[in-house]
Amino acid sequence: MSPASHRDESPDRLYTLTGGRTRSAPDAPFDLVTLVVAESDPAPGMQSEHAAILRLCRRPTAVVEVAAELALPVGIVRILLADLLGTGRISARHPRTSGPAGPSGSYSLPDPDILEQVLVGLRNL
């Protein structure tokens, strides 16, 4: 059994992690493929999940990867990321795929539903 599978995903724990919030700010730019980069190191006394995110995101990391590594629901991770973005501890940008351009000449992004399925599959491993 992996260490991540020992995580307590009870509603009480998730409520505590987010301070009772159920959604990130409406202007938060986080979808599954948004790349997150830490702009600072973890600070003493910081919530452990915030510190873990900063360590994970030393290099650009997709939101879905952060959720998988922390073994937390994507919605909870979005709230935590919004906290860090609000304090300037991370930056976020939407990636462009490096694949061929679509019919309109613009780049196409991966289907969020497929990425969600990949996340579920990773959690089931």
Side-chain angles (χ1 to χ4, degrees), residues 1-11 13-14 17 47-53 55-56 65-73 76-77 80 123:
M1 204 178 253
S2 72
S5 64
H6 289 16
R7 285 263 198 206
D8 176 13
E9 287 195 31
S10 70
R13 177 177 179 272
L14 297 178
L17 284 178
Q47 183 175 331
S48 62
E49 287 75 14
H50 285 145
I53 290 169
R55 285 190 295 274
L56 279 171
E65 292 177 81
V66 173
E69 286 292 323
L70 296 179
L72 289 171
I76 300 298
V77 170
L80 297 173
R123 283 191 177 152

Side-chain angles (χ1 to χ4, degrees), residues 16-98:
T16 302
L17 284 178
T18 63
R21 293 168 293 159
T22 58
R23 295 203 166 127
S24 59
D27 59 341
F30 304 110
D31 62 18
L32 296 176
V33 296
T34 301
L35 294 175
V36 178
V37 179
E39 298 294 338
S40 68
D41 290 325
M46 176 180 275
Q47 183 175 331
S48 62
E49 287 75 14
H50 285 145
I53 290 169
L54 292 176
R55 285 190 295 274
L56 279 171
C57 297
R58 288 188 176 126
R59 295 177 34 190
T61 308
V63 171
V64 70
E65 292 177 81
V66 173
E69 286 292 323
L70 296 179
L72 289 171
V74 173
I76 300 298
V77 170
R78 285 180 178 146
I79 294 168
L80 297 173
L81 290 171
D83 294 344
L84 293 169
L85 184 65
T87 59
R89 294 190 173 275
I90 62 168
S91 59
R93 68 177 176 82
H94 208 275
R96 296 181 121 197
T97 59
S98 59

